[in-house]
Amino acid sequence: MNPGPAPSSTYRLQFSQDTTFTDARALLPYLDALGAGALYASPLLESGAGSNHGYDVVDPTRVSQERGGEEGRRALVAAVRERGLGFVLDIVPNHVGVDVPQANPWWWDVLAHGRSSEHAGTFDIDWDAGPVLLPVLDADEEKALSELSVSDDRTQLRYYERAFPVAPGTGDTGTAQEVHERQHYRLVSWKRGAAELTYRRFFDVSTLAAVRVELPEIFEKTHREVLRWVEAGDVDGIRVDHPDGLSDPGAYVRMLRAALGPQRWLLVEKILGVGEDLPASWPVNGTSGYEALREIQGVFVDPDGAGVLTQLAAEHTGRKESAHAAEHAARREVADTILAAEVRRIAALVPVPEAPPSTEEEPGEAADRVRTAVAELLCGFPVYRSYLPEGRESLDTAVTVARTHRPDLADVLEAIRAAMLADPTGLLATRVQQTSGMVMAKGVEDTAFYRWNRFVALNEVGGDPSRFGVAPPEFHRGLAAREASWPATMTTLSTHDTKRSEDVRARLAVLAEIPDEWAGRMRRWAAAHPLPDRSLELLAWQNLVGAWPIPAERMSGYLTKAAKEAKLVTSHVEAVPEVDEAIAAWPEQVLADAELVAEIEDFVTRIAGPGRANSLGQKLLQIAGPGVPDVYQGTELFEYSLVDPDNRRPVDWAARRELLARLDDGWLPDVDAEGAAKLLVTASALRLRRYRPEVFTGYRPLPAQGPAASHAVAFARSASLVAVATRLPVGLAERGGWADTVLPLPEGTTDWHDVITDTPLDGAAPSLGQLLHRYPVALLVRPA
């Protein structure tokens, strides 16, 4: 689409009761000075009490009171406008929070009135399956049911602090258990949710109930408040969370585009596979940027490190397994366990082919074959999902992959494909496509990415760990394609969902340059301080050095989550207390080993400098490259966070303000742990994008010439802008630096200025040794 409405850049803020609209207003002078083009807000509608993310909206009809209410929102918008900034909003159409039923008036009404509720059609509930199952009780269901009580006025059922409505006329007499049996819902053990749930949810999260926004009347009531803000001129852009969960994402974004009009920036959080493009029928400006993350980070990874790190992983875990095999196994596991309810719902829709006369199947066997075929099909998609009739090749691939794994199910698989193609908007096609994305996300991102730990810098949302880095030609093709097809898409390096912050990945990239040294150290460290699982050891040591220094409490929280996501020796569903205790205690034991800590600090000191060079390089290439760059809160300094909730810790805004003021006084900081050098690069590039947008057009690679040319990655955006970064800095240092390598500039012009160091250039083909003497990056511009 036309890039017209896009801001020059965005700055993402995570709003909560601890970061309110008033707090954001106080930050605006800093964000303005930094050069941000727009404030990019996390979801702002009323969410669960204490929510630090806002993706659990409980009332789409009003703004969050904890974050500052309607008055605070209006004051923030007014302050944003005074600064000449844009306002971009994250919205959540797929689901609402139902953890506390009383907090969600629509859900409460459905539980109270069942099918006759005015909101019954809002949720994707299988009413024919009987009462709505609510998996909220303890594992011992019989004991938990005996602990139910009825409120004094007989209008609520209580389970400890939880409350549920009593349908009118059903609570006047009887025990709590008898009253419970008369309701439109049944309270069951939390363990039954995975296999028996009767409403669609967000992935495997039963406290987030899916909403049927594909229906115009549901779209209208769930979007009324946000569209009121748009109509008032308060919102310039929308980012749509998790469109792949919707029954028809294309129809949804067409409805949304019609409501927004052509002049609003519209993005979707679509995770694209390598080589995948957005469907042509979607009237959007792009994605939230994970495909750019893979390309930009990947060009700083040395492909020559693959062999040693692959061997290390195989020897350490005692098995050789490809990434694709690990991913398929993990996808099957989640399809058979935490997403079994979804698989069962799909299987009930499959037109079962007649068995040949020579075979006799019991009804139960036939049903099992169908369920197994559905699970295999869901695990065969090469991307998150198809959008029939678009993406048919992905469905064909899924059938082929499933038949390869289970040739005996070919007849059922072909029957499913034929039925989906015959009715691409029917319930079977809809459910399969919605669920394949769930299986990919939970099986790959949230399972395999914690199991297959050869080199965890690549185990990232939108990443492909089987591809060891991105060669410069692929990098340039990706950025050129973005400029040609999606110039207004968002680009990112860190988000609230990334597995590691950009700076952790940048430091870990150094390991690919020194794989032998890393392998030796890690083997020795792991022998001294083992964990209950060998693959978890690979993960733990990489993350420890990547985020170092990190307190034991943070590392313990991360490892506990990682082990449960991996589901190898413990899990969220089947916790193993002694394993959990050993994992939680491990960081403190490591940090108490003074000799080992000294060795870790020595090693991190060795890789920290090259890691910072990588950080500066990827930040510059992101901000200067095609698309609209987003800066996640706090990442303008070096910021070494792991997966949420670690990446949602408070940001030290005072330190950032003070450093920016010093930079504006002409200070050129060293590239050190303080991080001012990254702030300098970020602010220089953001300001240039905001005030000289005309130079950020077009794209062409700019090859260096000379013996160290492979260590430079550079591009021109117009005849007036060049960005250059250093790649593989350890190898560059080992070969003695840049020597006589030069960078010929566009059109042989000589009137260039480096905006990072505020110095003029000498000549039309500057020496990289001189150009990158102060910093490992340069951003060159010609006068207007």
Side-chain angles (χ1 to χ4, degrees):
M1 287 200 63
N2 186 320
S8 60
S9 65
T10 59
Y11 192 100
R12 169 73 175 213
L13 272 187
Q14 294 293 118
F15 284 88
S16 68
Q17 63 184 2
D18 300 317
T19 301
T20 65
F21 300 147
T22 301
D23 297 324
R25 280 168 56 199
L27 282 175
L28 288 177
Y30 166 72
L31 299 183
D32 186 12
L34 185 66
L39 173 62
Y40 168 29
S42 60
L44 299 182
L45 293 171
E46 189 67 84
S47 58
S51 172
N52 70 352
H53 50 79
Y55 290 97
D56 53 344
V57 173
V58 295
D59 187 351
T61 68
R62 59 194 178 101
V63 72
S64 165
Q65 284 300 120
E66 281 189 349
R67 289 161 179 78
E70 177 63 7
E71 190 176 326
R73 184 193 68 81
R74 286 182 179 175
L76 173 59
V77 170
V80 165
R81 296 306 187 218
E82 278 179 32
R83 293 272 165 187
L85 301 178
F87 193 96
V88 177
L89 179 66
D90 197 346
I91 66 169
V92 192
N94 180 72
H95 52 265
V96 293
V98 297
D99 185 34
V100 179
Q102 276 176 300
N104 188 318
W106 297 351
W107 187 248
W108 184 264
D109 196 73
V110 167
L111 297 183
H113 300 284
R115 227 169 183 162
S116 63
S117 165
E118 65 173 303
H119 301 291
T122 302
F123 300 96
D124 199 348
I125 297 170
D126 182 1
W127 291 107
D128 294 335
V132 180
L133 290 191
L134 301 181
V136 298
L137 302 180
D138 284 346
D140 186 341
E141 187 175 303
E142 189 176 349
K143 178 174 180 291
L145 287 171
S146 73
E147 295 165 342
L148 295 182
S149 61
V150 183
S151 62
D152 292 343
D153 62 2
R154 310 287 293 184
T155 63
Q156 293 181 5
L157 267 176
R158 298 271 173 80
Y159 177 61
Y160 294 102
E161 74 282 359
R162 291 179 175 272
F164 305 89
V166 169
T170 65
D172 298 338
T173 61
T175 65
Q177 292 70 31
E178 289 168 339
V179 171
H180 174 238
E181 287 297 315
R182 301 176 193 138
Q183 302 312 307
H184 299 289
Y185 57 85
R186 291 293 180 272
L187 307 182
V188 299
S189 163
W190 64 269
K191 289 202 165 190
R192 291 175 60 185
E196 301 177 47
L197 204 70
T198 53
Y199 60 89
R200 190 167 63 81
R201 55 192 168 163
F202 171 70
F203 296 152
D204 63 332
V205 185
S206 300
T207 56
L208 296 174
V211 176
R212 301 178 67 197
V213 289
E214 68 273 13
L215 302 177
E217 64 273 20
I218 308 302
F219 176 93
E220 194 279 330
K221 77 173 184 178
T222 53
H223 289 66
R224 186 183 304 146
E225 180 67 1
V226 164
L227 291 176
R228 182 178 71 81
W229 304 348
V230 172
E231 186 68 25
D234 296 347
V235 176
D236 305 299
I238 294 282
R239 179 262 199 192
V240 176
D241 180 65
H242 189 51
D244 276 352
L246 304 176
S247 65
D248 188 347
Y252 168 77
V253 293
R254 287 188 286 275
M255 269 198 290
L256 184 57
R257 172 56 78 192
L260 294 175
Q263 291 308 309
R264 294 295 194 290
W265 194 40
L266 179 55
L267 304 170
V268 286
E269 187 212 16
K270 168 62 190 165
I271 315 300
L272 294 170
V274 178
E276 184 187 10
D277 205 354
L278 281 172
S281 66
W282 291 15
V284 301
N285 297 101
T287 72
S288 51
Y290 289 109
E291 65 279 6
L293 185 159
R294 184 191 73 85
E295 294 161 356
I296 295 166
Q297 177 209 310
V299 81
F300 293 91
V301 172
D302 187 351
D304 291 344
V308 171
L309 293 179
T310 303
Q311 183 179 350
L312 170 65
E315 290 178 356
H316 196 76
T317 60
R319 63 180 182 273
K320 286 185 178 179
E321 183 181 37
S322 71
H324 292 304
E327 289 176 1
H328 186 272
R331 287 162 83 177
R332 267 313 304 265
E333 186 175 320
V334 302
D336 292 342
T337 54
I338 61 176
L339 298 178
E342 284 74 12
V343 171
R344 179 181 53 77
R345 285 183 82 177
I346 294 169
L349 302 169
V350 173
V352 184
E354 287 188 24
S358 58
T359 64
E360 288 189 14
E361 283 184 336
E362 296 295 325
E365 291 176 0
D368 283 344
R369 284 188 83 235
V370 174
R371 276 196 295 272
T372 303
V374 168
E376 281 293 352
L377 178 70
L378 295 172
C379 297
F381 277 81
V383 293
Y384 275 68
R385 60 168 288 173
S386 57
Y387 309 91
L388 293 176
E390 292 172 286
R392 174 175 172 167
E393 67 280 1
S394 296
L395 172 61
D396 292 340
T397 298
V399 171
T400 301
V401 170
R403 287 184 63 165
T404 301
H405 283 275
R406 289 295 301 269
D408 58 310
L409 300 175
D411 57 328
V412 186
L413 292 164
E414 289 301 336
I416 297 173
R417 170 163 53 186
M420 289 176 66
L421 294 177
D423 188 4
T425 60
L427 200 52
L428 176 63
T430 297
R431 295 280 189 227
V432 167
Q433 293 177 112
Q434 283 177 306
T435 310
S436 70
M438 297 165 68
V439 170
M440 176 75 89
K442 296 307 297 181
V444 178
E445 277 182 41
D446 289 348
T447 304
F449 279 8
Y450 290 93
R451 289 180 175 180
W452 201 80
N453 296 314
R454 171 179 70 168
F455 183 52
V456 299
L458 303 176
N459 294 18
E460 193 48 86
V461 182
D464 182 352
S466 70
R467 300 165 71 98
F468 204 92
V470 173
E474 180 188 351
F475 166 84
H476 288 302
R477 284 195 301 272
L479 271 65
R482 185 164 303 116
E483 175 64 10
S485 299
W486 299 100
T489 191
M490 182 179 278
T491 66
T492 191
L493 293 176
S494 298
T495 74
H496 62 284
D497 277 336
T498 42
K499 305 298 184 191
R500 288 156 206 86
S501 71
E502 61 203 66
D503 296 319
V504 171
R505 297 192 307 270
R507 182 188 287 175
L508 289 175
V510 181
L511 303 185
E513 289 200 75
I514 53 169
D516 289 301
E517 180 181 348
W518 166 247
R521 286 180 186 258
M522 202 228 84
R523 286 190 184 104
R524 193 166 63 253
W525 297 347
H529 291 279
L531 276 160
D533 176 61
R534 299 284 276 178
S535 70
L536 186 64
E537 290 176 352
L538 290 171
L539 182 82
W541 291 108
Q542 288 177 75
N543 282 287
L544 188 68
V545 300
W548 188 270
I550 181 169
E553 184 182 2
R554 274 178 58 205
M555 191 68 194
S556 178
Y558 169 75
L559 271 189
T560 297
K561 176 174 180 171
K564 289 181 180 294
E565 297 283 28
K567 308 170 191 65
L568 291 173
V569 290
T570 186
S571 71
H572 295 293
V573 177
E574 298 289 349
V576 182
E578 60 270 25
V579 169
D580 293 344
E581 289 165 14
I583 290 168
W586 183 86
E588 202 159 313
Q589 293 164 4
V590 169
L591 295 181
D593 184 336
E595 191 176 330
L596 177 59
V597 166
E599 192 176 337
I600 293 171
E601 287 188 334
D602 177 63
F603 180 71
V604 171
T605 299
R606 166 149 161 60
I607 65 172
R612 292 183 195 120
N614 290 337
S615 286
L616 298 183
Q618 62 185 15
K619 199 69 169 179
L620 177 66
L621 298 185
Q622 182 222 356
I623 297 176
V628 178
D630 176 54
V631 177
Y632 181 69
Q633 61 177 34
T635 59
E636 63 270 35
L637 296 189
F638 296 124
E639 209 283 316
Y640 298 91
S641 287
L642 301 174
V643 78
D644 71 278
D646 196 57
N647 60 11
R648 299 173 191 176
R649 289 172 294 125
V651 176
D652 186 346
W653 299 111
R656 285 159 175 77
R657 285 192 192 94
E658 183 184 335
L659 290 173
L660 188 60
R662 291 177 64 192
L663 293 175
D664 285 340
D665 286 338
W667 175 46
L668 287 181
D670 292 335
V671 183
D672 57 22
E674 188 175 35
K678 191 180 182 193
L679 182 62
L680 173 64
V681 170
T682 303
S684 299
L686 289 179
R687 290 169 175 179
L688 194 63
R689 280 202 76 124
R690 187 166 163 190
Y691 298 113
R692 293 282 308 275
E694 77 282 357
V695 302
F696 291 90
T697 57
Y699 184 88
R700 58 172 158 155
L702 208 59
Q705 305 293 329
S710 65
H711 290 277
V713 56
F715 54 72
R717 292 299 312 277
S718 60
S720 299
L721 183 111
V722 166
V724 56
T726 303
R727 63 185 293 267
L728 314 186
V730 174
L732 178 65
E734 286 175 351
R735 69 177 321 286
W738 293 106
D740 59 351
T741 306
V742 297
L743 184 70
L745 300 174
E747 302 180 2
T749 46
T750 59
D751 54 345
W752 294 87
H753 194 91
D754 179 10
V755 299
I756 295 174
T757 58
D758 192 22
T759 54
L761 257 66
D762 184 23
S767 154
L768 283 174
Q770 291 181 326
L771 179 62
L772 304 179
H773 172 69
R774 190 77 178 81
Y775 297 114
V777 295
L779 180 60
L780 313 180
V781 68
R782 296 178 64 206

